[in-house]
Amino acid sequence: MRVPMMITMLGLGVLLSTGCQNYLGFGTGTVTGFEISPRPDNSLNLTLGYNRYELAVIPVPEFQDAGDTLDAYSVLATINVESPGLNSYDPEDSLRITQLFATGMAARRMSNQPGMRKHFAEYMEDITKSRRGDDEQ
Amino acid sequence: MQIMILPSLSLLALGSVLLLFSGCIWHGKKQSYFVHPLASLTTGDGVSGYHELNGVLLTLEGGRQFGLTLGCTSILTVAPKEWSDQGTCDSLPTTRCLDSIDVASHQTTKRKFPFFTVGTMDSEPVFFYRKSIGVSMLLGFEVTGIFVGWMQRLSFLPKDDTVYILHFNAANRSQTILLRKEVTQ
């Protein structure tokens, strides 16, 4: 009985220790059942039942200020996530993601381009229009 | 005495069956190695470098991502292609250009492999998707946790100083578009 307990404790320790990694990322997750996983803030996530999330992690480097040639994790992104509801049985109704993701100096360069500014303005206009449509319905 | 032996024998038999039909995946930097008697691998090359493994029973993973899954699992790994190679849109990568990309040219091949195969990509993968039904214990930068039941995870881990355009549909995964454009100073 002691050995499974020790293995479980060791596994949980390893799980918690891996939450310290410093990387930039975007993710979505869904679980129906049981889940134990580390959170980015090193606490433990316990789920029993149903849970879903959309997450973007943008770490800030310690002791590093951004300059003309040095970047501190700049990100420029448009992320469109369409996810089916819990009671959806339509096979066409699946998880869909369309995104533009620019990192570092690429994000800074692109944010200064007139074409990209226009793209973002049009994108925001599309979102506003679709929201207005939803409100009217 | 007989009562003690019978459960031990059935456990041994169950363990042997699991070991016999268990599969292993080694996730390398640009290459993945698959040893799995009960699996199929779909590979694609065109609008993204792509491979997807569908396995059943016991699947063990190592390398970039460690894992143990008992049940059904589907593991998708996608590496980006160069934006400039598409040549159908203007120089500015935006999601509006996705419509002009010819997804039909994306060649995918599906094969059932009896024992061993290698999946090679041109560049390091940055997009990962997996779903499983059963019990999973996973450890790595892609996903970490213990899962029992149905699980779906998607991770996008971009490199620095790069622009990515991604289109992904879980119902039509072989048509995943992932393009990149490096922006130098």
Side-chain angles (χ1 to χ4, degrees), chain A residues 15 18 23 26-30 32 34-36 53 94-101 103 105 110 113 126, chain B residues 92-93 96 139 141 144-148 150 152-154 156 159 161-164 166-171:
Chain A
L15 281 181
T18 54
Y23 55 79
F26 165 78
T28 75
T30 312
T32 308
F34 176 67
E35 174 188 352
I36 307 176
Y53 71 87
S94 60
L95 176 68
R96 277 188 287 258
I97 291 180
T98 305
Q99 69 178 40
L100 177 146
F101 213 100
T103 57
M105 293 308 283
M110 285 189 74
Q113 289 187 17
D126 288 350
Chain B
L92 202 64
R96 285 184 183 225
L139 175 69
F141 72 94
T144 294
I146 298 168
F147 305 89
V148 182
W150 183 84
Q152 175 176 257
R153 280 285 165 118
L154 180 151
F156 177 67
K159 304 280 173 207
D161 305 331
T162 313
V163 186
Y164 295 92
L166 167 73
H167 179 70
F168 170 77
N169 184 347

Side-chain angles (χ1 to χ4, degrees), chain A residues 105-120:
Chain A
M105 293 308 283
R108 288 171 64 174
R109 296 259 160 182
M110 285 189 74
S111 66
N112 289 326
Q113 289 187 17
M116 192 48 72
R117 287 182 175 187
K118 190 176 165 226
H119 170 70
F120 269 81

Side-chain angles (χ1 to χ4, degrees), chain A residues 69-98:
Chain A
T69 55
L70 195 64
D71 184 71
Y73 285 101
S74 294
V75 172
L76 183 76
T78 61
I79 302 168
N80 183 26
V81 181
E82 291 173 54
S83 186
L86 185 60
N87 55 355
S88 172
Y89 298 100
D90 184 358
E92 292 296 310
D93 191 12
S94 60
L95 176 68
R96 277 188 287 258
I97 291 180
T98 305

